[in-house]
Amino acid sequence: MTILDKHNEAMDIAEQAFAIVQQNPTVAAELFEKAYYIERSIADTIEAVEDNEPSRSIFYKSAASLALNAKLFREAEISACLGISGRGDDVELDELRDIFDQVNFERHLYLNGISLENNQFQLSFVGNEVGSGYIKSSELIDRLNIITDLARKEVEKKANKKFNSRGRPGNVVQMYPLYFSAGMTGSYKIIIQIGNSKNGDLLFGDKYAIENSIITSIIRKIDYINSNNLEALKEEYGKDDPYYDFFVESIKSFAPDGDRIKMIGFTTSINGDEVQTRLTRKRTEIGDVFEMEENLEFDLVEEGTIVSVIGVLDLSKSRKTTHIFEIMDEEGRSYKFEASEGELASIVRDNYKDLVKVTGRRKKGKREVYLFVDIQNIE
């Protein structure tokens, strides 16, 4: 059997595994493992041949990827390292390094002997600002504030409370405080626990039912975000629901930037089984893609035109029907943007008094107000 025949056999087996991975992950893992050993044997054979690049790097990369899908993390790590140690081109080497990062991340998703209750979940971080047991404070603290707010809003929504963008959390939220454990070595991991007061049991019923529901709901919605399936996410909410806008804008701030933080993992336990997901989509990849006009006079653009401005988020006003925030540029000019109630709550929390780049669409009939499209914090 030729190398090409063996490779085609491995790819056929891998294709079978991908087809059933959602319905039967155990069998799929067995198929990925079978395909891995075929592909790894090809790579090892090519290793002994002179002038073997780029084939050598390509087959070690393929083997590492298959081992990763089979959850053979040590084998994936070895294959990726063998590929990196060669003289492949820059593209192949970068892809091998990405697989190596994914291998480390997948290992860190597992609990490694730690037992989680139904009201707990583990966050894992990987990136250039993350080391073994440490993480840059701003990368962690801001995200913990966001995940705290997301959990609070889940409680309020499940209790059928009206969206509240101002003031202290209501009594129903205070029934479910969040607790954080110390970080663990590896990448950087932290366990978050949702507490429950006695009144919480009375309000929602069974012990841990609401806490587990909060966690699984957040993880399910993050899966939608990661696959950019905003239509499925919208189905979790009613029409024009501020909770939806709040969730999307919050996850944009929470999401990896692709450098300082590359991946964020979530691990929880449901009836004793580990459930995992990871957020790899960058904030700039979440939501709508739009064409932006550059270098236009902001107050002269035509209706519907999308433009951007850089300045400090200086002021916000939330009324019954309108929710406005203002940006002050370096020349002292003020620009008003209209957002939804949910968007405004997230925008002000994450960017108040910060230098930001805001994108907006010219609003019909109102030259001085622009409809909010996107915001980026400039560090």
Side-chain angles (χ1 to χ4, degrees), residues 222-270:
I222 286 173
D223 272 335
Y224 291 145
I225 290 282
N226 211 39
S227 60
N228 212 27
N229 189 356
L230 297 188
E231 289 304 313
L233 181 62
K234 286 176 183 176
E235 291 178 4
E236 299 262 343
Y237 300 90
K239 185 179 171 152
D240 299 325
D241 191 337
Y243 283 106
Y244 168 83
D245 294 329
F246 180 83
F247 185 87
V248 173
E249 283 303 313
S250 293
I251 289 298
K252 284 183 180 181
S253 296
F254 185 86
D257 66 294
D259 178 30
R260 300 186 306 274
I261 300 295
K262 295 182 178 180
M263 294 174 271
I264 303 173
F266 297 77
T267 305
T268 190
S269 177
I270 299 177

Side-chain angles (χ1 to χ4, degrees), residues 82-137:
L82 286 170
I84 292 169
S85 69
R87 298 184 179 277
D89 61 35
D90 290 342
V91 173
E92 293 297 333
L93 291 175
D94 283 343
E95 291 178 355
L96 280 159
R97 292 185 187 104
D98 285 342
I99 291 175
F100 183 78
D101 285 342
Q102 290 179 48
V103 171
N104 283 325
F105 186 65
E106 293 288 341
R107 278 196 296 108
H108 297 321
L109 279 176
Y110 280 82
L111 297 175
N112 296 325
I114 296 168
S115 177
L116 289 183
E117 299 291 341
N118 286 344
N119 64 333
Q120 296 177 324
F121 63 101
Q122 174 184 280
L123 279 181
S124 310
F125 298 87
V126 170
N128 291 332
E129 297 285 8
V130 181
S132 181
Y134 70 86
I135 184 173
K136 187 176 180 181
S137 61

Side-chain angles (χ1 to χ4, degrees), residues 58-75:
I58 290 171
F59 279 104
Y60 274 125
K61 180 180 71 175
S62 178
S65 180
L66 290 167
L68 182 59
N69 281 301
K71 302 193 183 306
L72 301 173
F73 300 128
R74 180 58 180 153
E75 296 297 330

Side-chain angles (χ1 to χ4, degrees), residues 125-183:
F125 298 87
V126 170
N128 291 332
E129 297 285 8
V130 181
S132 181
Y134 70 86
I135 184 173
K136 187 176 180 181
S137 61
S138 60
E139 300 295 342
L140 176 66
I141 293 170
D142 290 348
R143 287 180 170 89
L144 291 184
N145 286 334
I146 291 170
I147 206 72
T148 298
D149 271 356
L150 288 175
R152 286 172 173 172
K153 293 305 180 190
E154 286 292 328
V155 172
E156 289 177 350
K157 184 168 177 59
K158 291 180 185 302
N160 296 316
K161 298 292 184 182
K162 185 178 182 297
F163 186 90
N164 177 26
S165 60
R166 293 175 291 179
R168 295 175 59 82
N171 291 334
V172 66
V173 170
Q174 295 177 26
M175 294 177 188
Y176 296 92
L178 263 66
Y179 300 90
F180 303 100
S181 80

Side-chain angles (χ1 to χ4, degrees), residues 346-377:
S346 174
I347 290 166
V348 172
R349 177 198 62 206
D350 299 331
N351 303 285
Y352 186 62
K353 292 297 183 182
D354 288 351
L355 184 65
V356 294
K357 179 180 180 179
V358 182
T359 303
R361 180 182 283 110
R362 166 76 189 284
K363 187 175 180 180
K364 182 178 180 180
K366 286 191 176 182
R367 281 189 179 276
E368 73 279 9
V369 178
Y370 299 84
L371 295 174
F372 169 75
V373 174
D374 187 51
I375 186 168
Q376 297 179 41
N377 197 291

